[in-house]
Amino acid sequence: MQRVLVVVDMQNDFIDGALGTPEAQAIVPFVKEKIRSFDGKVIFTRDTHQNDYLQTQEGAKLPIPHCINGTQGWEICDELKPFAKDIIDKPTFGSTELVRALERENSKNQISEIELVGLCTDICVISNAMLLKSSLLETEIVVDSTCCAGVTPQSHQNALEAMKMCQINIK
């Protein structure tokens, strides 16, 4: 049985760039310590948009260019970059590629637990947690709330409550 840590979108644009927040900046040391002490496989996700972002459905609803492929904002933050060996680029909130990768991993080495940390609790963390919960039914899905931040503190709390209702364990 193995454990997997999914580090969601710890990118410059979400920390101190186009969509950065003080709460996102505050969790970086906690996420770094979580990764350093984690006994298991670590996978990063990276929000990845193209130059035509503002012409996409997401860009129309969130008209702030961010995480444009190849830019400084798209990069994993410097403090965590040394740990980012396994990265899945995703064009939207939730990653079906992440789900497929973990389904394959589960068929080879039974996964006992998938823990998620990162940004933003109320968008990408919840989306990936829900996809994983609905795809890997008997795998424990955990979110470490001390290593997550939302768009706002209130939306962070709302997302945690929603995940609890869907049998995702919140630390």
Side-chain angles (χ1 to χ4, degrees), residues 11 13 25 30 44 49-50 80 119 127 135 139 150 155 157 160 162:
Q11 296 163 263
D13 269 348
Q25 293 170 35
F30 299 114
F44 280 69
H49 301 297
Q50 305 307 317
L80 304 180
L119 301 167
S127 295
S135 298
T139 302
S155 62
Q157 279 306 126
L160 295 173

Side-chain angles (χ1 to χ4, degrees), residues 6 43-46 48 86-105 128 131-132 135-136:
V6 178
I43 300 172
F44 280 69
T45 68
R46 185 168 48 195
T48 302
D86 191 352
I87 302 173
I88 294 176
D89 291 334
K90 58 183 189 59
T92 189
F93 310 135
S95 175
T96 54
E97 185 179 339
L98 173 67
V99 171
R100 285 191 300 274
L102 290 175
E103 286 174 332
R104 284 190 304 273
E105 185 70 30
N128 285 291
L131 284 171
L132 291 165
S135 298
L136 294 158

Side-chain angles (χ1 to χ4, degrees), residues 31-170:
V31 173
K32 183 176 181 179
E33 183 52 37
K34 170 71 74 173
I35 295 167
R36 287 171 41 94
S37 64
F38 191 77
D39 182 25
K41 182 179 184 77
V42 178
I43 300 172
F44 280 69
T45 68
R46 185 168 48 195
D47 197 41
T48 302
H49 301 297
Q50 305 307 317
N51 289 326
D52 68 346
Y53 172 75
L54 292 176
Q55 283 73 54
T56 67
Q57 185 178 43
E58 181 182 328
K61 294 180 182 196
L62 178 62
I64 300 169
H66 65 281
C67 300
I68 305 300
N69 193 344
T71 66
Q72 177 64 21
W74 172 75
E75 295 288 336
I76 302 294
C77 72
D78 287 343
E79 295 89 339
L80 304 180
K81 198 178 285 189
F83 304 102
K85 307 291 184 225
D86 191 352
I87 302 173
I88 294 176
D89 291 334
K90 58 183 189 59
T92 189
F93 310 135
S95 175
T96 54
E97 185 179 339
L98 173 67
V99 171
R100 285 191 300 274
L102 290 175
E103 286 174 332
R104 284 190 304 273
E105 185 70 30
N106 192 47
S107 69
K108 292 186 295 187
N109 303 306
Q110 191 70 29
I111 299 173
S112 60
E113 176 183 286
I114 301 169
E115 185 170 351
L116 293 94
V117 299
L119 301 167
C120 294
T121 318
D122 43 344
I123 301 173
C124 295
V125 174
I126 192 173
S127 295
N128 285 291
M130 297 293 273
L131 284 171
L132 291 165
K133 184 65 179 173
S134 63
S135 298
L136 294 158
L137 303 177
E138 295 303 317
T139 302
E140 185 175 2
I141 308 298
V142 177
V143 172
D144 185 341
S145 63
T146 65
C147 292
C148 293
V151 174
T152 68
Q154 181 181 357
S155 62
H156 166 78
Q157 279 306 126
N158 290 345
L160 295 173
E161 291 302 318
M163 288 186 278
K164 278 184 199 175
M165 294 302 295
C166 294
Q167 300 177 2
I168 293 167
N169 295 325
I170 307 300

